Amino acid sequence: MSTSEPYRTLTTRGWIFFTTLWILAAASLYNGAALARCQTAEAIPAAAQISAGTPQNDGLWWKHAVIYEIYPRSFQDSDGDGIGDLNGITERLDYLQSLGVDAVWLSPIYPSPQVDFGYDISDYENVDPQYGTLADFDKLVAEAKKRDIRIIMDMVMNHTSDKHKWFVESEASKSNPKRDWYVWRDAKGVGANGKPLPPNNWISVFGGSAWEYDPKTKQFYYHKFYKQQPDLNWRNPAVENAMFDSVRFWLDRNVAGFRLDAIPTLFEDPQMRDEPATGGINAQSDPNLSDIYTNNLPQVHDVMRRLRAVTDKYPGNRVLIGETYLPNVQDLDKWYGGAQRNELQLPMDMQVGFTNKLDASLFRQRINDAQTQINGNQPLFVFDNHDNVRSWDRYGDGVHDEAIARLLATVLFTSRAATLMYYGEELGMVTTTPTRKQDVKDPIGITGWPKEKGRDGERTPMQWDDSKNAGFSTAATTWLPVAENYHTTNVKTEEGNPDSLLNWHKKLIAMRRSDTTLRDGKQVMLDETNPFVLSYARESVGENPAIIVALNFTGEPRTITLDPSTAGITGKTVSTLITDAPSLRQVSSLQHMTLPPYASWVGSVK
Ligand code: BGC
């Protein structure tokens, strides 16, 4: 498979979680057997041993932020109904503070019929009763603030629920003033079976035609996702006005910004041209299409600039984060507004975290691209979210999974990038894909079974301890089952083990928070032709020495010799800051260093 293939697939299908689920199934990567934990041997510099809650929120706080995605249904249930809620999250803020989190991105908590578990919003200015109330939300924001943690909302602008009052009006009649708020079109004709034919060949990301016929008004409406998620018509300025009002509603409630859901899909080709087929079928048995007329259309950038103008009016550097699965770094740059920097502050760079194979050369190239090809903007790296098989399973080999998880965390937290992590990533939570169709909750897993088993596997409840339901809920049953490994993979157990994956994360995050070199130092690749070991320097900033990182991307020991003078680093005194390889605890030279399989080493040079 060529290195760019996942991204070609991505543009074709429009959605990477299909790609990763497919890769997972094809490679049978899931292997629940957790291995004995590797020994860690960290010598954390005194400067890094600060309280993880130390504020560093002045100025452009988001530049170095650790943003933690919470899937609210699965984080903490406070009222015993088996579903997580806002008060549950508030109860767990101390944990997030101890981890060193700067901001929480909340997956949607708005009122919703929950067809797509909240990504089908029926009221943009309220909280779904199963998650709590607006007062609970305000309390969460206030309690989080006390711990220097910001709250970021998920804003779904591409579509609403079909139960939203705007759509209820829109479908009422062709002459309704809200008719044009959605994308309605006449049938292309009548099929051989006597049924109306959809206006074109566009398919839904979630399977089947992207057009749904309304017999009452005898027209089709467009839905990029489920038919219960009709697309808004962003060519109608009234839609933008209404949506921006909802954005202000939350800004006024002191949210720190938004993660913009499926944002490249706002616009469609007004001529409604058929999309070209690229051959073969996808997991939902639809033809693969190149989504050139329904994804990443240029008009979306005008909306982003106007949205940025809205958020910039508020104090405190509110941030716009984009769910931007893009085919290349040039496209990513456009989402910042290039050198103008007038669109999103942090469009997600999915190029690094979703390479889905441990290939040191590919990681080097993509990290380098993010350092050099986006006009000096700040990259945002991410390995996990609620739509993709967890990185533990996507990158793990079933033998060295935990060492690989440490290596990925090291890439994430020692690169010059803002970072996004997903609840449970810090523990080594695994993907628990349903084994029976009747257990599946995610509709794409029902319609796509058995090829596409849906996204339940990466949404299982957070594992807090080894008590009933992993401490997530007191209910008899939880909305999704708790993963079987919770007896050993949980917060309480890992907090008590200095060598745990959780403590690895805490130490790396603490280093980032305290070390100006790790936060701002230029990231320069070393040993650039090595296909097995990824090595880079972070140039010294302020009093802090330069930092060198070396990561063995293979299951064999690898010996390297690094010459940091190629990055302008002249110091000769080398010391280990953190490593999971006992043999590398006392490194004093960058000559002939042997890294055990999948070992991570971070050191300083003065
Ligand atoms: C979200 C998915 C959701 C889809 C439709 C994606 O970006 O992350 O979970 O199903 O948008 O809203």
Side-chain angles (χ1 to χ4, degrees):
M1 186 190 275
S2 98
T3 54
S4 59
E5 218 160 81
Y7 294 90
R8 273 212 307 278
T9 312
L10 177 65
T11 41
T12 306
R13 292 184 184 172
W15 236 246
I16 196 170
F17 49 79
F18 290 139
T19 313
T20 49
L21 287 171
W22 179 85
I23 288 170
L24 181 77
S28 299
L29 283 180
Y30 174 65
N31 178 341
L35 279 190
R37 288 165 195 272
C38 311
Q39 284 287 305
T40 57
E42 310 79 15
I44 298 292
Q49 295 174 358
I50 54 161
S51 141
T54 298
Q56 47 137 28
N57 293 335
D58 53 311
L60 298 176
W61 65 274
W62 45 264
K63 275 201 162 182
H64 312 291
V66 175
I67 304 168
Y68 187 94
E69 180 191 356
I70 289 183
Y71 198 68
R73 295 183 81 74
S74 294
F75 198 62
Q76 179 65 55
D77 171 19
S78 74
D79 59 6
D81 64 356
I83 298 172
D85 47 50
L86 292 178
N87 287 336
I89 298 170
T90 305
E91 283 172 16
R92 296 296 190 177
L93 284 171
D94 287 341
Y95 166 72
L96 297 176
Q97 184 182 25
S98 74
L99 183 56
V101 165
D102 295 287
V104 165
W105 147 29
L106 282 183
S107 283
I109 53 157
Y110 315 90
S112 161
Q114 305 290 339
V115 171
D116 193 14
F117 297 110
Y119 285 93
D120 47 325
I121 299 173
S122 53
D123 178 357
Y124 284 78
E125 299 181 7
N126 214 331
V127 171
D128 193 295
Q130 65 181 295
Y131 298 135
T133 62
L134 276 172
D136 295 333
F137 178 82
D138 291 341
K139 183 167 159 224
L140 169 62
V141 172
E143 287 297 319
K145 188 171 180 206
K146 287 185 195 159
R147 295 163 178 84
D148 292 308
I149 296 173
R150 294 166 153 87
I151 302 293
I152 294 171
M153 295 294 273
D154 208 319
M155 188 45 78
V156 185
M157 296 184 161
N158 178 67
H159 48 267
T160 68
S161 161
D162 61 344
K163 301 289 180 281
H164 193 292
K165 63 182 181 202
W166 300 339
F167 188 75
V168 172
E169 287 182 44
S170 184
E171 68 177 348
S173 74
K174 275 168 120 169
S175 58
N176 187 285
K178 293 256 176 353
R179 184 68 169 184
D180 189 46
W181 282 41
Y182 294 83
V183 183
W184 290 95
R185 288 292 183 280
D186 290 333
K188 201 162 120 187
V190 180
N193 56 5
K195 290 198 176 147
L197 290 170
N200 61 27
N201 73 343
W202 296 353
I203 54 165
S204 157
V205 171
F206 290 155
S209 170
W211 295 97
E212 181 69 11
Y213 189 64
D214 171 37
K216 193 167 104 197
T217 59
K218 299 193 170 41
Q219 278 193 314
F220 284 87
Y221 67 85
Y222 172 66
H223 56 94
K224 180 85 178 169
F225 299 92
Y226 295 124
K227 65 180 181 193
Q228 296 90 343
Q229 295 168 301
D231 270 49
L232 285 159
N233 174 17
W234 278 83
R235 294 181 194 273
N236 182 338
V239 166
E240 180 173 308
N241 287 340
M243 198 55 89
F244 285 8
D245 279 349
S246 295
V247 162
R248 288 189 197 93
F249 175 89
W250 293 102
L251 290 169
D252 289 336
R253 289 197 112 83
N254 294 321
V255 304
F258 300 93
R259 173 265 188 185
L260 305 171
D261 180 74
I263 197 69
T265 65
L266 283 199
F267 285 87
E268 300 79 38
D269 174 38
Q271 295 175 49
M272 302 278 149
R273 283 169 280 188
D274 277 353
E275 290 185 330
T278 55
I281 56 166
N282 65 23
Q284 300 280 356
S285 305
D286 293 316
N288 289 317
L289 301 179
S290 170
D291 57 0
I292 52 173
Y293 295 129
T294 54
N295 193 12
N296 215 8
L297 268 62
Q299 292 80 358
V300 69
H301 294 286
D302 301 328
V303 178
M304 293 305 98
R305 282 189 287 275
R306 293 195 290 270
L307 178 61
R308 177 66 181 271
V310 170
T311 54
D312 274 357
K313 286 217 171 67
Y314 283 76
N317 295 304
R318 314 290 170 111
V319 70
L320 293 173
I321 300 170
E323 190 201 17
T324 38
Y325 291 103
L326 299 167
N328 54 55
V329 71
Q330 288 73 28
D331 267 40
L332 180 64
D333 186 44
K334 289 185 196 156
W335 282 83
Y336 291 92
Q340 306 276 95
R341 311 195 202 299
N342 56 358
E343 297 192 26
L344 313 188
Q345 289 96 334
L346 295 176
M348 293 178 199
D349 181 336
M350 308 292 201
Q351 301 272 311
V352 174
F354 293 90
T355 53
N356 296 340
K357 57 179 174 176
L358 284 175
D359 175 334
S361 306
L362 188 54
F363 268 69
R364 183 181 300 123
Q365 180 218 314
R366 292 192 170 166
I367 294 171
N368 247 341
D369 282 352
Q371 303 306 319
T372 57
Q373 306 292 306
I374 55 173
N375 276 296
N377 285 300
Q378 186 76 355
L380 172 60
F381 290 166
V382 46
F383 283 90
D384 275 290
N385 61 31
H386 63 285
D387 291 326
N388 288 282
V389 165
R390 284 183 178 269
S391 59
W392 180 278
D393 305 290
R394 277 185 287 124
Y395 289 94
D397 64 355
V399 178
H400 305 92
D401 293 348
E402 183 159 335
I404 292 169
R406 287 173 200 264
L407 178 145
L408 296 178
T410 309
V411 172
L412 184 65
F413 294 113
T414 66
S415 289
R416 194 190 67 82
T419 59
L420 191 48
M421 55 186 296
Y422 183 51
Y423 80 93
E425 186 178 339
E426 72 276 23
L427 305 176
M429 275 178 63
V430 298
T431 315
T432 307
T433 308
T435 52
R436 306 181 314 170
K437 188 177 174 186
Q438 63 264 40
D439 296 331
V440 178
K441 298 282 189 307
D442 184 13
I444 52 168
I446 299 169
T447 54
W449 191 272
K451 263 180 156 171
E452 164 63 72
K453 293 181 175 161
R455 297 162 289 175
D456 294 351
E458 54 266 26
R459 299 172 176 181
T460 58
M462 177 69 172
Q463 296 166 202
W464 295 103
D465 55 39
D466 68 352
S467 69
K468 182 184 166 191
N469 296 329
F472 161 69
S473 169
T474 55
T477 49
T478 53
W479 84 282
L480 283 177
V482 176
E484 279 173 11
N485 70 355
Y486 80 93
H487 292 289
T488 49
T489 300
N490 65 61
V491 171
K492 192 165 172 213
T493 305
E494 295 193 36
E495 276 178 344
N497 172 6
D499 293 333
S500 67
L501 185 60
L502 172 59
N503 277 317
W504 182 262
H505 280 79
K506 282 193 185 182
K507 286 166 188 161
L508 285 171
I509 293 171
M511 282 170 67
R512 249 172 91 85
R513 292 175 74 88
S514 63
D515 189 316
T516 47
T517 297
L518 266 188
R519 290 216 301 278
D520 290 317
K522 199 170 157 203
Q523 186 168 5
V524 183
M525 294 297 160
L526 302 174
D527 194 15
E528 284 189 75
T529 54
N530 191 324
F532 308 120
V533 179
L534 175 69
S535 305
Y536 48 85
R538 300 293 308 278
E539 289 180 5
S540 165
V541 174
E543 297 295 297
N544 291 102
I547 285 180
I548 309 289
V549 179
L551 304 159
N552 182 355
F553 271 56
T554 72
E556 312 288 327
R558 302 284 173 190
T559 301
I560 54 169
T561 290
L562 301 178
D563 177 8
S565 70
T566 58
I569 296 165
T570 50
K572 296 278 175 267
T573 311
V574 176
S575 31
T576 297
L577 297 175
I578 182 168
T579 185
D580 56 356
S583 58
L584 297 176
R585 283 180 203 170
Q586 307 296 339
V587 168
S588 57
S589 152
L590 298 173
Q591 309 272 317
H592 308 295
M593 272 175 76
T594 299
L595 294 141
Y598 299 109
S600 302
W601 179 84
V602 182
S604 64
V605 188
K606 319 190 231 231

